[in-house]
Amino acid sequence: MDTALLPVPLAPEISLHLADGKVGLFDGTGGAFSSDVPPPFWQFVWAGGQALARYVLDHPELVRDRSVLDVASGSGVAAIAAARAGATRVTALDVDPLAVAAVARNAAANRVAVDTRAADVADLDLTAEVILAGDVFYTRTVADRMTSRLRRAHREGARILVGDPGRGYFPERLFTQVAEYVVPVPAALVTGVWEMRATIRSS
Ligand SMILES: C[S@@+](CC[C@H](N)C(=O)[O-])C[C@H]1O[C@@H](n2cnc3c(N)ncnc32)[C@H](O)[C@@H]1O
């Protein structure tokens, strides 16, 4: 699939190398969504990532002078928003090496510095003062892995913000909603930004 440098609909301050807006992920990959090769999630900017980017850009005090880690970064939209908002150090992590390359390219296009790391979130050996995760609760396996790692980082003191448009595996009981946006992905999606609650006892 070809990409073009396009503004993010909900955060037009940021432009990303994205698939032409007329194709969906399934059509654009010729149905390869079910193959062993990871689909090019990074060619799309997901509702959760857009909402998170908007929230960070509108509330720069959340990340200003802080270290930020964007897990499952995809195109890097939330990481780039954090860098623009004044984070001291931003790292973007994704299991897909092609996504990590896309983040580097997109960060350069937006003239911001973002460190990249190709790794599974379960093997994450670094933390940050603020951790962002956009649209990571779309399958049981991915959601469980993300939830477990985010809870550990939260226990260790990180502030956790996620963007989620009501995906089936979002563990809402662990979070408090802090914002809601109508995100113009092909069909508009109402998408919340949520912060992990402070009072969690069991793991
Ligand atoms: C739906 S996309 C969201 C991308 C971006 N955060 C956004 O909102 O636009 C999910 C991303 O999670 C990544 N991912 C899936 N499982 C992962 C894991 N175990 N560790 C790290 N990244 C993972 C995928 O490669 C993909 O880039």
Side-chain angles (χ1 to χ4, degrees), residues 3-183:
T3 58
L5 192 61
L6 299 170
V8 173
L10 197 67
E13 304 94 318
I14 297 172
S15 290
L16 302 172
H17 292 279
L18 299 171
D20 183 307
K22 293 192 266 316
V23 274
L25 180 59
F26 189 83
D27 294 336
T29 56
F33 197 77
S34 59
S35 81
D36 290 341
V37 178
F41 285 114
W42 51 273
Q43 287 191 355
F44 299 85
V45 59
W46 298 83
Q50 291 198 47
L52 208 44
R54 184 72 268 148
Y55 188 66
V56 165
L57 290 167
D58 289 347
H59 301 277
E61 68 282 359
L62 291 170
V63 297
R64 191 183 294 129
D65 300 328
R66 299 205 162 102
S67 56
V68 173
L69 174 62
D70 179 24
V71 299
S73 192
S75 64
V77 64
I80 291 167
R84 279 188 63 115
T88 44
R89 179 168 187 176
V90 182
T91 306
L93 171 135
D94 201 288
V95 74
D96 181 356
L98 291 177
V100 168
V103 174
R105 190 173 173 220
N106 285 328
N110 288 274
R111 295 187 173 79
V112 293
V114 174
D115 295 338
T116 55
R117 179 87 65 103
D120 192 306
V121 72
D123 302 327
L124 187 57
D125 58 354
L126 80 163
T127 190
E129 290 167 279
V130 181
I131 299 186
L132 307 174
D135 238 309
V136 296
F137 302 111
Y138 52 96
T139 70
R140 165 71 66 202
T141 311
V142 175
D144 286 352
R145 203 165 278 205
M146 294 289 163
T147 302
S148 155
R149 190 60 190 86
L150 292 176
R151 292 185 80 177
R152 194 172 114 206
H154 188 256
R155 281 195 298 274
E156 291 167 357
R159 187 167 192 176
I160 313 288
L161 291 167
V162 305
D164 186 83
R167 303 269 184 228
Y169 302 100
F170 173 50
E172 187 178 325
R173 69 192 167 83
L174 301 179
F175 292 87
T176 300
Q177 187 163 17
V178 295
E180 185 173 78
Y181 302 96
V182 176
V183 183

